[in-house]
Amino acid sequence: MLKAVVQLENLHVVLVRARNPLNIGAAARAMSNFGASHLRLVTPYEKAFREAVSAVGAAPTLAKAEEFDSLAGATRDCSLVVGTTAIGHRELQHELYPFEEAAKKIRQALAAGRVAILFGSEKTGLSNEDLSHCHWLLRIPTREEHRSMNLAQAVAVVVYEISRGGTTAKAKSKLSSAAADMESVNRIAAVLLEALHASGYIHRRSIATAEEKLRRMLRRFELSSADAEVLLGMLRKILWKLSQGEEPDRDV
């Protein structure tokens, strides 16, 4: 018997630029099959997805699905963000975990906080910019000759693999020690980026690339919420010194 309801309460499935409302409905159905109920969509192409007839038995999941204009917004309250990829010819900038090991790590993280799993559009998957919001990646072990999967099927396979491990006790790791959510990490990135720009380290023309690299680096640190607060205070002080403005408030 699956023990998925409590275990998957912290799981958030995030569909990025999903194109087909039938796929969105089928993804909601797959989530409901295994006890996941939190669906988030980032700029879906089709606004009529809530009426998808493919969401058989999962109308509540589809009805309460949240829409976001950005991936940063969709993951801001999550302490772990995992991207899915078929790899192909892409040169990855993140650690890629074997499927079963990835599911185990996700189950451990779910015991301590919210986890977002990102799925890209049916046509293009996740972009490099999307992946810069991730801590690490997973790949469903399809055969090499046919890597790509239907979006809803991919959601079903991943959620099933996570749910079949049953309820997991809190992990003795950084994630169980009040890991920083992505809103805090993004605030650190914004202040650090401003400080790097003020110092002359970053050229205006390379700001987008620097931002992606910075996001990836900060996620690799796996900061606790307490460390994130201290680091943000340090960076604000550095930025104030660089700008020679008024000293900022210390309540961070």
Side-chain angles (χ1 to χ4, degrees):
M1 179 188 235
L2 288 175
K3 302 176 185 177
V5 176
V6 175
Q7 179 192 341
L8 300 188
E9 179 58 31
N10 280 334
L11 182 67
H12 295 263
V13 172
V14 182
L15 307 184
V16 183
R17 297 181 301 279
R19 305 174 67 88
N20 189 330
L22 292 178
N23 273 338
I24 297 174
R29 179 180 182 178
M31 291 170 59
S32 181
N33 284 148
F34 302 112
S37 60
H38 299 298
L39 176 62
R40 295 179 174 181
L41 297 108
V42 179
T43 57
Y45 280 77
E46 178 54 69
K47 293 297 183 182
F49 69 86
R50 294 183 196 276
E51 302 165 16
V53 295
S54 52
V56 180
T61 300
L62 204 56
K64 68 177 185 179
E66 301 175 87
E67 291 184 64
F68 296 86
D69 293 329
S70 70
L71 193 43
T75 58
R76 69 184 185 280
D77 58 351
C78 297
S79 54
L80 175 65
V81 181
V82 179
T84 57
T85 179
I87 306 177
H89 299 296
R90 169 179 285 172
E91 183 179 346
L92 299 180
Q93 302 294 322
H94 296 72
E95 192 160 6
L96 178 72
Y97 284 97
F99 194 45
E100 289 187 6
E101 185 181 350
K104 181 179 179 181
K105 287 174 67 68
I106 290 168
R107 284 193 294 270
Q108 291 173 340
L110 286 171
R114 294 186 181 93
V115 176
I117 303 183
L118 312 185
F119 296 84
S121 77
E122 302 88 331
K123 186 175 182 180
T124 62
L126 295 170
S127 68
N128 286 334
E129 200 278 334
D130 297 332
L131 293 179
S132 71
H133 290 267
C134 300
H135 289 85
W136 45 266
L137 310 177
L138 68 80
R139 173 182 174 263
I140 298 172
T142 54
R143 66 192 184 95
E144 293 295 319
E145 297 82 0
H146 193 180
R147 289 171 174 268
S148 66
M149 291 184 69
N150 170 271
L151 174 61
Q153 291 174 341
V155 171
V157 171
V158 171
V159 177
Y160 165 71
E161 183 65 24
I162 296 168
S163 71
R164 79 186 184 96
T167 304
T168 303
K170 286 191 176 182
K172 295 179 180 179
S173 68
K174 292 180 182 178
L175 283 172
S176 65
S177 305
D181 58 33
M182 292 305 98
E183 184 172 15
S184 299
V185 174
N186 289 338
R187 285 164 62 201
I188 290 170
V191 175
L192 182 52
L193 198 64
E194 190 176 349
L196 291 173
H197 180 69
S199 70
Y201 184 84
I202 297 176
H203 194 281
R204 285 186 180 277
R205 287 197 296 268
S206 61
I207 249 185
T209 303
E211 196 170 352
E212 279 188 30
K213 289 180 178 178
L214 195 55
R215 269 199 299 267
R216 289 195 296 266
M217 182 182 71
L218 288 173
R219 279 152 180 77
R220 286 196 296 270
F221 291 163
E222 295 186 6
L223 293 166
S224 70
S225 57
D227 287 344
E229 186 175 342
V230 171
L231 180 56
L232 184 59
M234 291 175 176
L235 292 171
R236 282 178 168 167
K237 183 70 174 182
I238 291 169
L239 183 60
W240 168 71
K241 282 289 188 181
L242 287 171
S243 63
Q244 291 296 298
E246 293 184 3
E247 186 168 0
D249 294 335
R250 289 186 176 274
D251 93 19
V252 293

